[in-house]
Amino acid sequence: MRSDNVRTGMQQAPHRSLFHALGMTEEEMQRPLVGIVSSYNEIVPGHINLDKITEAVKLGVAMAGGTPVVVPAIAVCDGIAMGHIGMKYSLVTRDLIADSTECLAMAHQFDAMVMIPNCDKNVPGLLMAAARVNIPTVFVSGGPMLAGHVHGQKRSLSSMFEAVGSYAAGTMTEEDVREFENNVCPTCGSCSGMYTANSMNCLTEVLGMGLRGNGTIPAVYSERIKLAKHAGMKVMEMYAKNIRPRDIMTDKAFLNALTVDMALGCSTNSMLHLPAIAHEAGVDLNMDLINKMSARTPNLCHLAPAGSTYMEDLNEAGGVYAVMNELAKKDLLYLDCITVTGKTVGENIKHCINRNPQVIRPIENPYSQTGGIAVLKGNLAPDTAVVKRSAVAPEMLQHEGPARVFDCEEDAIAAIKGGDIHAGDVVVIRYEGPKGGPGMREMLNPTSAIAGMGLGSSVALITDGRFSGASRGASIGHVSPEAAVGGPIALVQEGDIIEIDINNNTLNMRVSEEELAARRAKWQPREPKVTTGYLARYASMVTSGNRGAVLEIPKK
């Protein structure tokens, strides 16, 4: 056991004395030491129930012969952090979570781990840590929230943000907004659409790092507690068989994740997180793969915000495994990948049928023959930009219009709500990238304001920042290179004609190379927005969005 380094032999007598201080018995000290990384807190709605999940995992580990020890991981609620300085602290926590979990696991020499995340950056951060530490590890999330109900219709958090835009447009009263406010988030759990948290929890299943139902069993279902107990038991099986994260998270597993991502219509944030997780696992997940995967993968689900179905509906329809089984009918998955079950992907999904073809389209009748996410390139995004194609109105798949340029999110929101943005415009929000933000803020407020103002099918938004999984419409993010390093988005001027062609994966501004060169010669870097603390350190180390915004030590 790796924990022998802290519990066995005369040299470790001082270490054992500290275990005695914890109240640990001799019997417990002779069993594998399993770190239970719990993201429980009382500020994130998706995490308020994780104390129950943690206790269930502990029981499962103990039942299977391990010694569970609970350690913490932080988490940020993107909804609460949205639209103010707090959003600068969201993406950056992904690496903070990975770093702190690595530190805890290595310092205390855990033999195995069970990760208990739920919300946006928590899931990829812990997957990154699992790949680094590479000891037997199972994931069990806290589960999604049930959909809310307003005026007889299912609703979710994206409806709430759009209601604020409708209020600004004068189409909704304060009383109407309050009706949404009180009803769209009815339970604990990760927000009920296919937003980033649920996207990543579903993709954890696909990668093979979570048990069936990890991404879809609602937070308030008793089945979630059973899943947590089984996760605790399963990690002990993995320990006995020495199955480790890097045995599971292989290049084929990441290709499976990209494929299911396209079929589910996941959040564009997955295009930041999957490359970052792959990087830690020693796998090169090049963004050039994305359109190739999309071209061969049909989009089978239109979960909110792309459609009117929710995570609870996906769960009842058979969950992620049912989607994978549909894809397997056309040989779109690698079925020989090993998973935390000790079985292969093919063995896991074999009998998982699609129970509701209205929620999971049969592969013979998809929403589209291409996947839910597209990567765009052009003179505005020479590296890449990303859009959730499945949530774009058909009339906006090809669009051109004048640029309305803003150097921060707040200025853009003021213009949108002030009625200064009109049908046909292309809103450009820059200096919000990983370095420029710093922290690559999500733009849910402006996209929701655009939708709420009735402009969702006539106005596009382009940014070097990113979007919440709750965003819909022609919302193009992750523009790389970003403005802060002199990317072409920094050179856009008010009124430039922007050409968007999502069908052909292009993003251009109708400006000559000569004019761009002249603008580039005059461009000067901006002073950093933040010069102290964690954000300043992050900005000095972070790479571009097309590389997953991973951290690198600056070259001298």
Side-chain angles (χ1 to χ4, degrees), residues 391-404 416 420-427 446-447 449-462 472-475 498 500:
V392 178
E395 57 267 38
M396 290 298 290
L397 291 171
Q398 290 180 302
H399 177 78
E400 65 177 58
R404 305 297 310 280
I416 296 165
D420 294 334
I421 302 301
H422 308 288
D425 286 348
V426 178
V427 176
T447 58
I450 287 169
M453 298 285 283
L455 298 170
S457 59
S458 61
V459 169
L461 195 155
I462 297 171
R472 62 187 176 99
S475 305
I498 305 295
I500 301 165

Side-chain angles (χ1 to χ4, degrees), residues 73 288 332:
D288 291 333
L332 294 175

Side-chain angles (χ1 to χ4, degrees), residues 71-109:
V71 295
I74 66 165
V76 162
C77 175
D78 277 18
I80 294 174
M82 195 70 66
H84 55 88
I85 191 173
M87 183 44 70
K88 294 179 185 287
Y89 287 89
S90 172
L91 178 61
V92 305
T93 64
R94 183 188 72 183
D95 297 270
L96 195 58
I97 290 162
D99 292 347
S100 59
T101 303
E102 174 193 358
C103 290
L104 278 167
M106 297 303 293
H108 301 104
Q109 292 291 281

Side-chain angles (χ1 to χ4, degrees), residues 357-415:
Q358 303 304 312
V359 175
I360 304 171
R361 287 278 188 95
I363 198 150
E364 300 83 12
N365 180 35
Y367 282 101
S368 66
Q369 293 295 338
T370 53
I373 289 178
V375 170
L376 313 182
K377 286 189 177 184
N379 68 356
L380 184 51
D383 290 340
T384 55
V386 178
V387 63
K388 187 171 182 176
R389 175 167 42 200
S390 60
V392 178
E395 57 267 38
M396 290 298 290
L397 291 171
Q398 290 180 302
H399 177 78
E400 65 177 58
R404 305 297 310 280
V405 183
F406 304 93
D407 287 349
C408 68
E409 178 189 6
E410 288 82 357
D411 290 350
I413 292 171

